[in-house]
Amino acid sequence: AQSVAQPEDQVNVAEGNPLTVKCTYSVSGNPYLFWYVQYPNRGLQFLLKYITGDNLVKGSYGFEAEFNKSQTSFHLKKPSALVSDSALYFCAVRDPNSGYSTLTFGKGTMLLVSP
Amino acid sequence: DTEVTQTPKHLVMGMTNKKSLKCEQHMGHRAMYWYKQKAKKPPELMFVYSYEKLSINESVPSRFSPECPNSSLLNLHLHALQPEDSALYLCASSQEWPGMYEQYFGPGTRLTVT
């Protein structure tokens, strides 16, 4: 069975500093990986995905993520954080052998960016 | 356009009421989903429709009844709900072409059961 771990409940960073939100996964075969962001009282917004190819994936709002197969990680990064980046972030994985696009989500990491 | 719309935004209902949640997408996506989300928790999958047919039911109680009238619409019919069913209900859709597996979510319906 596939699983996703987000080891940090909360990440605090000052505006202008780089940020990293961690994600590790467990799945048989090559994974499909996703990052989503959720602002208060809103639905999830798709940020970026890794399916295959370049290990560094660029997404929306200046976010990027690095796929590391040996460490089974897919950490979300941004070079310079904004206060408006404060939100709940979910990492998700899809089993590539599944016939349906069912996602397994991590528990979520709250990102707080201070002015 | 990557928009999924949901109505209503908020819904308060008693335990004896019958109500419906609606979801719509015009992206030509082949799969549509219902999720339940509690505060600060990840979404929990309830149902998956693929090509307008129910393909996954994650052991959801029968007081929740999904319906897919056509490829763009998804309904969730609610009846005799319990207070613990209060949550944010999210609809999502995905293309399901090779490499196009990301799901796009609607803003959700905030349901309160009294």
Side-chain angles (χ1 to χ4, degrees):
Chain A
Q2 62 211 42
S3 65
V4 175
Q6 293 181 243
E8 303 151 319
D9 290 335
Q10 184 168 307
V11 170
N12 297 299
V13 64
E15 187 173 33
N17 284 357
L19 69 87
T20 299
V21 183
K22 296 180 180 178
C23 171
T24 59
Y25 66 89
S26 174
V27 66
S28 58
N30 295 317
Y32 299 151
L33 295 159
F34 307 86
W35 275 103
Y36 287 86
V37 60
Q38 186 173 32
Y39 296 98
N41 299 312
R42 302 286 295 275
L44 278 68
Q45 294 181 31
F46 169 68
L47 281 178
L48 49 79
K49 65 182 176 183
Y50 174 82
I51 303 296
T52 186
D54 194 349
N55 289 344
L56 184 63
V57 178
K58 294 187 182 297
S60 306
Y61 313 121
F63 284 94
E64 57 189 28
E66 186 169 10
F67 172 66
N68 188 316
K69 188 173 183 178
S70 63
Q71 298 185 3
T72 61
S73 67
F74 189 56
H75 300 332
L76 182 69
K77 300 181 179 183
K78 188 174 183 182
S80 179
L82 299 172
V83 172
S84 57
D85 292 330
S86 298
L88 183 59
Y89 289 80
F90 291 103
C91 181
V93 65
R94 171 186 167 167
D95 184 344
N97 298 313
S98 170
Y100 301 101
S101 187
T102 54
L103 298 177
T104 298
F105 288 90
K107 65 179 181 179
T109 298
M110 182 65 71
L111 173 66
L112 293 177
V113 182
S114 55
Chain B
D1 183 13
T2 55
E3 186 178 27
V4 177
T5 59
Q6 290 187 245
T7 56
K9 290 185 178 180
H10 301 276
L11 178 62
V12 179
M13 61 185 292
M15 290 190 285
T16 59
N17 291 157
K18 289 184 179 181
K19 297 286 184 183
S20 297
L21 309 184
K22 297 184 183 301
C23 173
E24 190 167 6
Q25 59 90 10
H26 292 289
M27 297 176 279
H29 285 179
R30 305 174 176 190
M32 297 185 76
Y33 312 79
W34 280 115
Y35 288 89
K36 174 184 178 181
Q37 187 184 27
K38 292 283 194 178
K40 300 185 178 180
K41 298 292 185 182
E44 300 171 28
L45 183 65
M46 300 175 72
F47 303 104
V48 180
Y49 273 83
S50 178
Y51 291 95
E52 303 171 46
K53 293 184 178 180
L54 183 64
S55 58
I56 294 179
N57 176 339
E58 291 286 0
S59 302
V60 178
S62 59
R63 57 186 184 268
F64 295 91
S65 175
E67 178 195 21
C68 189
N70 60 54
S71 60
S72 299
L73 292 174
L74 190 64
N75 298 322
L76 186 62
H77 302 298
L78 315 173
H79 173 56
L81 295 191
Q82 303 298 309
E84 60 265 29
D85 296 323
S86 298
L88 181 68
Y89 286 84
L90 296 167
C91 174
S93 67
S94 62
Q95 186 63 275
E96 294 306 296
W97 286 350
M100 301 290 289
Y101 301 120
E102 60 272 23
Q103 295 181 21
Y104 292 93
F105 286 78
T109 293
R110 175 73 61 187
L111 174 66
T112 302
V113 181
T114 60

